[in-house]
Amino acid sequence: MKIKHILNNSFSKKSNGFSLVEVLVTLFVFSLIITITMGIFVSVLKMQKRAQSAIKISNEASYAMEYMSRAIRMAQYDENGNCGANLNYEKTSDGIKFKGYDGKCRQFSCELDSGGTNVYRLKEIIDNGGVLQENYLTSSELNIVSFNVGPEYGWNPTDDIQPRITISLEIKGITKNPAELKIQTTLSQRNIDRH
């Protein structure tokens, strides 16, 4: 009777460990949760990088457009033709040229970066009495996809039309999956054209 009682008790007791199936299911669920969490984390990091790139592009584009707009609005009539044609503004092959508020010839253009990269940057060239001063308006971390200045008509001071300039700019980051921005503005010379 004692042997029967011992055998019945040993078979009726539950084991204190986990079965192999339970362990495998737990590992599968745990790895699934980790994989989903890591995927979300990586997606959030990519979105954050793209948002930071978009902010950088927006800041630099705003600065460049405001800088060019202010200079173009303050342009003077070039009576002697020292800065090109005898006009308010002159369209060049890659931008615009004019006599600035300070009497110096100014030019805005889009040029390949001199740093050896394949990045196009906005550049200002100021003719300071035969000495050229060059300033980049955008960083080498951004690429100018297109820079257009127009229209070419209406810039003649004798046509009784107030000169208007339309600047359009398309900027793209140089990172993988870069953000991109297109911006355009139209402005007029501050002083009424009476020449």
Side-chain angles (χ1 to χ4, degrees):
M1 176 114 161
K2 260 186 167 180
I3 294 176
K4 204 175 187 185
H5 181 57
I6 292 172
L7 286 175
N8 284 339
N9 282 340
S10 66
F11 286 118
S12 66
K13 286 185 181 178
K14 294 204 174 201
S15 71
N16 292 334
F18 296 104
S19 70
L20 181 60
V21 173
E22 291 172 330
V23 170
L24 289 176
V25 168
T26 304
L27 285 175
F28 175 75
V29 169
F30 181 73
S31 65
L32 187 64
I33 290 171
I34 293 295
T35 303
I36 291 171
T37 305
M38 290 302 291
I40 292 171
F41 181 71
V42 168
S43 295
V44 167
L45 283 178
K46 284 181 182 178
M47 288 189 315
Q48 183 183 14
K49 271 186 157 180
R50 188 162 171 88
Q52 286 174 338
S53 175
I55 289 169
K56 182 170 183 57
I57 288 172
S58 176
N59 287 341
E60 287 200 35
S62 294
Y63 169 76
M65 290 297 269
E66 182 61 33
Y67 187 89
M68 289 187 296
S69 297
R70 185 177 66 237
I72 290 171
R73 265 195 239 89
M74 304 283 289
Q76 299 179 14
Y77 174 66
D78 187 13
E79 294 177 23
N80 302 327
N82 295 334
C83 296
N86 208 9
L87 303 170
N88 293 305
Y89 306 104
E90 179 184 357
K91 183 160 173 80
T92 62
S93 61
D94 57 357
I96 186 169
K97 189 176 185 180
F98 56 94
K99 183 178 180 181
Y101 66 93
D102 53 3
K104 298 175 183 175
C105 296
R106 293 179 181 270
Q107 180 176 349
F108 293 114
S109 60
C110 179
E111 294 182 7
L112 191 60
D113 185 13
S114 61
T117 60
N118 287 333
V119 173
Y120 284 88
R121 296 172 67 185
L122 280 179
K123 187 178 194 180
E124 175 189 34
I125 301 170
I126 302 171
D127 186 349
N128 194 3
V131 177
L132 297 181
Q133 176 186 350
E134 299 179 348
N135 304 315
Y136 283 110
L137 302 178
T138 55
S139 72
S140 58
E141 296 175 9
L142 302 177
N143 189 28
I144 305 299
V145 177
S146 71
F147 173 61
N148 295 308
V149 178
E152 293 183 51
Y153 60 88
W155 294 356
N156 189 332
T158 61
D159 62 6
D160 294 331
I161 298 173
Q162 184 66 15
R164 286 178 299 142
I165 305 290
T166 300
I167 303 170
S168 62
L169 187 62
E170 185 177 349
I171 300 179
K172 195 174 193 177
I174 60 171
T175 59
K176 185 177 178 184
N177 300 322
E180 187 173 336
L181 176 69
K182 295 178 183 178
I183 187 169
Q184 177 176 317
T185 188
T186 300
L187 49 113
S188 180
Q189 204 172 15
R190 181 172 282 184
N191 297 322
I192 296 178
D193 191 6
R194 301 249 185 233
H195 299 289

